[in-house]
Amino acid sequence: MRKLILQYKQAWASLKKKPGFVLTVLMTMGITLGALLCVVTLNYLLLVEPLPYPEQERLFVAEHGLIGAKKETKAVAYTYPGLVHLYKSKQAFEQASMMMYGQDVIVSHSSQPLVNIAYVTPDLHQILASPMALGRMFEASEALDTNNPVAMLSYNTWMQEYNGSADILEKKISLSGVSYHIVGVLAEHFVEPELEIIGRKTQVWLPWDYNQAGKWQRQAFDNINGSLKFIGLLKQEVSQSQAQQLLTPLVNDRWQAGLPGDDDFFKGWTINMHVRSVKDRILGESESIAVMLLAGVVGLVLIACANISNLFMARTAEKQRQMAIQAAIGATKKHLFKAMFAETSLLMFMSIILALVLAQFGFYIMQQYLGAILPRVNELSLTPITFASAVLVTIIFALFFAKLSTRMINYRALNTTLQSSGKGSGLQVSKKTRQVLIASQVALATVLVFANFSLLKDAVKTINAPIGFATDNISTLILNFSSSDIPSQEEAKPIMAEIMEKLEALPQVESLAQGNSPLDGFWVRALTSVANNEKYTPFFKSVDHHYFNMIEQPILQGDNFTMAQRQDGANVMIVNQAFAKQLKADGDVLGMQISTGRPDSFKIIGIVKDITIPGDSPTDRDSSALGSGVPRVYVPNGLGGQSFMLKLKSGQTVSRKQLGTLLAEVDSRYSVFSFNAASAILTQTLFAEITTAVTTTVLASLVFLLAGIGLYGILSYGTQLRRFEIGARMAIGATRKHLITMIIGDNTKAVLAGFIGSIVLFALAYISLSEYIQPFLTWQVLPMVVATLVLIILVTLFACYWPLRQYINKAAIYSLRGSD
Amino acid sequence: MTIPIIKVQQLDKVFSTDDMLTHALQGIDLEIQPGEYLSISGPSGCGKSTLLSIMGLLDFPTTGKLFFEGEDISQLSLEQAAAIRNKKIGFIFQQFNLIDELSIFENVALPLRYAMEPVSDKKIKERVDYCLDIVGMTSKAKRRPTQLSGGQQQCIAIARALVAEPSILLVDEPTGNLDSKSSDQIMATLQTLNDQGTTLCIVTHDIRYAEMAKRKVYLLDGQVLGQTQF
Ligand SMILES: Nc1ncnc2c1ncn2[C@@H]1O[C@H](COP(=O)(O)OP(=O)(O)OP(=O)(O)O)[C@@H](O)[C@H]1O
Ligand SMILES: [Mg+2]
């Protein structure tokens, strides 16, 4: 034991003399292992760790797939009556819950916040065994068709909106004209299954009966809604595939029977039920993100490892003589390995401590920025798995580096080292070894830096892609109606007219349109071309006659809508270029008749330019094959719509409160549902891309930093190893210029060899992965190649000069003697 | 009276390490005349190597004056010092200090490659061949230093020191790493060079070799203890 302590004391003393070396190892391994621990923990959480619910292995969702006549999946979403039918049938599942996601305004609250709602049957929280902070969860009294107005709050809502007030269970909240008794608050550690949008947190839970589906929707088998979900505990004796076989005919038969007889749009379509585990559903596509992150970080660790290996080999070369002396006085190979291991394990131990600190910081960053991309990140923390991986990694790397270093020692030749050379020649490491080390480092750095540049460029391209419409100073105002007897379009018309008059009179408002912005979403509508009976499912939106002007979307052919058409509910339609092309190859579609399934068909009166909404992709494969934009159609909206686009004068703002007051003056039943700037919605839509860009930037900078450190490390070590040679050259009259030129010249050869090596690596990658790489190979890569080369050259020049300066700016004797 | 090649006056050298000051040289006065054969000896640590490296412009004095061929060179820049070392001074070290990755020929040619006025390849070849001949190593020109014995390496170092036709050879323990036979050979070669007119200043603590010099200087604790002239 005392011997061991002594060994570590010696290792520490020896390391203390090389602060640069220690710092390089610490930073490199600390940063990369920190990233590794972070991503390993994430992968473990997502791929292995069970969900925090009892019997989570029996927790499944049933998905409702609409299958087209050609057996292709058209959509995955429930019809309202189909879901209720499934729920009532009680098949395959021991207990199951219906869910609908939505948003609403808490009108009873002074700040009238817009909150996320989930409408659920009592089964949900019973299945999840949701822990409560206060009160009770939904019970039989809130079962289907009981119409019992009670509510549960999330812990955060209780804290933030109600300051955690103790008498919360005596309070009521009202939304959309219904006043709900608060019966419970969920516990802080309750984890909501992210079944819809990753990162969405339900703030208020309401009984299913109060969901936002209209009377008509509750009966419609020809209307699907993506926010409807079905989750439950599968019966013990029923397998996943048995459940699917059981449920598919059950739901399909009811659907076929329920479809309106006069509608042949769905002819030949069927329903296919897909039962999958909740864990699988939550993981979704995140699995590939998580695994790719892991792959990226493992790559990072590999470069770091290569860097550090180079350093350790250089260090062994330097210590060769010292080891020769130890060998001469009787140290065995094992002794030397132990001494080396003491050093490497000490270094790795320090690195892993730093890594754990950085991992903790990484979790925080992930929770802040990746919460909308990756599920379950809120559950991230330093777990036993993190610590176990840390210990494992420490031991593996310490052993690896110690082995590598001691392997380099030619034990038999140690004595020769001692006999033949004085300090001058014994320390000269062969030029070939040095150059191979530098070349491999450059090759690695070049490939990685280039790959990262390319990734970054892609993400930035998506972010900067032109959307084709204006968002500046445009905001969408959506009204909330706080009563349960919703007015008809006819009743609403005069109220909306008055509201618009008042809005337009606001001094900040430049112009106004009825209807919401392109970023607030499109519907999907089933359409049939009257001429040839072809079916289409383009994106669909009803807009007013100001819409295209306000967002500056050009009308290329034909006319805009008119006020008269809106008043009469005229059957006219404007389509975009993409849909025009889909309808007719030459895009000449003015005057064409399009049927919506109702008796009167729509006439195309105009064609507008395509717009790009980030993340929107065509609804069916046929149109994406066309390669161009997403097909969209527009029809005139009625005058009773409750949403508006406000274009403000530049530099002006209007507050939610001001709008609320304005609305209340017209009709106290109306309040603000949401008021969002289009540019803010756009940023939100781009969030995934921005996060990718940020992540790649961080990774790219890390890679560059590491590659830079590695390159610097090896070049500077190369120079340090040459100090006696440099001294000898100085003694015979070499000037600073001679030496700088010599070092740069020698290193340039190695760097060039490295570049050639990287080209070979690329060629190999190209041969094996040509289909992935081909699209990258355009002239556009040239600037990136140049940027990569310039960066590498700059680092090289710096790494040539900086370590050299300590020798060439001092009297020659310092280099010759080897004293500092 | 001829101008001395090297003259030092009241030379002091102080090394400061961590918390200790070492007075390596104190008030040294010394002259080396052209054609002289001077030996500096004394116990280990008395400052011999320090004195030699200051005289050879490898290091700088803390205080005191240094003249080279009559010129005051106490205040030289690193570049100027390099130029003088290159042209006027030849060094021979205990540990040879040959460059492993260069051939023997290139090792010997190196000072000419660093010369201020470029030397033609033809001239370089002439000089290198000539100097290798002097030390009897012509046959080894294409080899590498690691392929030679210690004695042979020191011969190459002598050839390298001679190649730029310096005014003086400064030699620090040339035989410290060699067996007695090689040592004798090296000392004989140096003796011959001096006989032919080369100025020599040699540091050694081998009494036998110190005795071979025409003038001997003894150092003790950084001070000149005495001089003997033959
Ligand atoms: N770079 C340095 N830093 C600190 N002290 C030094 C340094 N170089 C030499 N010394 C000290 O200066 C004194 C003279 O050293 P020097 O190398 O000149 O001795 P020397 O006479 O050549 O000895 P040896 O016969 O053992 O070679 C010694 O005490 C030594 O410790
Ligand atoms: Mg000495």
Side-chain angles (χ1 to χ4, degrees), chain A residues 817, chain B residues 45 48-50 94 172-173 203:
Chain A
R817 278 199 169 213
Chain B
K48 305 182 295 287
S49 296
T50 308
Q94 176 177 350
D172 193 352
E173 310 269 14
V203 163

Side-chain angles (χ1 to χ4, degrees), chain A residues 817 819, chain B residues 15 17 22 24 43-50 173 205:
Chain A
R817 278 199 169 213
S819 62
Chain B
F15 291 108
T17 46
T22 314
S44 186
C46 66
K48 305 182 295 287
S49 296
T50 308
E173 310 269 14
H205 51 221

Side-chain angles (χ1 to χ4, degrees), chain A residues 537 582 618-631:
Chain A
T537 49
Q582 208 181 9
T619 50
D620 52 54
R621 263 189 228 119
D622 312 349
S623 50
S624 69
L626 289 170
S628 58
V630 176

Side-chain angles (χ1 to χ4, degrees), chain B residues 41-49 173 204-205 218-222 225:
Chain B
S41 50
S44 186
C46 66
K48 305 182 295 287
S49 296
E173 310 269 14
T204 179
H205 51 221
Y218 295 101
L219 288 189
L220 189 63
D221 289 343
L225 188 68

Side-chain angles (χ1 to χ4, degrees), chain B residues 7-209:
Chain B
K7 180 174 156 187
V8 297
Q9 277 180 349
Q10 286 304 305
L11 198 70
D12 271 31
K13 180 71 182 179
V14 183
F15 291 108
S16 50
T17 46
D18 293 339
D19 45 17
M20 214 179 64
L21 288 182
T22 314
H23 247 99
L25 298 173
Q26 288 180 49
I28 304 277
D29 288 304
L30 192 68
E31 282 182 15
I32 304 175
Q33 299 294 337
E36 232 189 328
Y37 185 171
L38 173 78
S39 75
I40 301 174
S41 50
S44 186
C46 66
K48 305 182 295 287
S49 296
T50 308
L51 178 58
L52 200 71
S53 46
I54 289 175
M55 292 197 299
L57 305 185
L58 291 174
D59 203 353
F60 297 98
T62 310
T63 56
K65 280 204 177 312
L66 179 65
F67 297 89
F68 197 89
E69 295 180 339
E71 260 179 78
D72 184 351
I73 53 164
S74 322
Q75 306 285 332
L76 281 188
S77 73
L78 288 169
E79 303 293 288
Q80 289 165 322
I84 294 180
R85 284 200 302 271
N86 180 252
K87 207 166 155 35
K88 305 277 189 183
I89 301 170
F91 278 104
I92 298 161
F93 303 96
Q94 176 177 350
Q95 54 271 2
F96 325 139
N97 283 329
L98 298 178
I99 291 158
D100 288 351
E101 57 204 39
L102 298 180
S103 68
I104 295 305
F105 182 93
E106 277 308 321
N107 261 289
V108 177
L110 206 53
L112 298 178
R113 304 240 183 251
Y114 289 141
M116 293 285 275
E117 299 103 33
V119 185
S120 72
D121 282 355
K122 190 166 156 272
K123 177 88 206 267
I124 290 178
K125 173 119 181 60
E126 251 175 57
R127 278 301 300 166
V128 174
D129 287 347
Y130 175 76
C131 294
L132 283 176
D133 189 43
I134 292 178
V135 296
M137 290 284 141
T138 316
S139 59
K140 306 279 191 284
K142 291 213 168 71
R143 300 237 189 139
R144 300 253 162 177
T146 45
Q147 297 163 329
L148 301 185
S149 74
Q152 290 167 327
Q153 289 193 45
Q154 197 59 301
C155 286
I156 304 303
I158 295 174
R160 184 176 68 181
L162 289 172
V163 81
E165 300 175 83
S167 316
I168 185 168
L169 285 190
L170 298 176
V171 191
D172 193 352
E173 310 269 14
T175 60
N177 276 357
L178 303 176
D179 60 50
S180 60
K181 192 163 154 249
S182 311
S183 300
D184 289 347
Q185 266 168 20
I186 292 292
M187 291 314 292
T189 310
L190 290 174
Q191 179 74 60
T192 319
L193 285 170
N194 178 248
D195 292 343
Q196 290 162 359
T198 310
T199 315
L200 271 183
C201 174
I202 175 167
V203 163
T204 179
H205 51 221
D206 189 321
I207 300 296
R208 268 191 319 130
Y209 298 140

Side-chain angles (χ1 to χ4, degrees), chain A residues 365-376:
Chain A
I365 298 283
M366 280 177 146
Q367 280 156 2
Q368 297 297 306
Y369 298 101
L370 297 185
I373 293 182
L374 290 169
R376 301 184 72 184

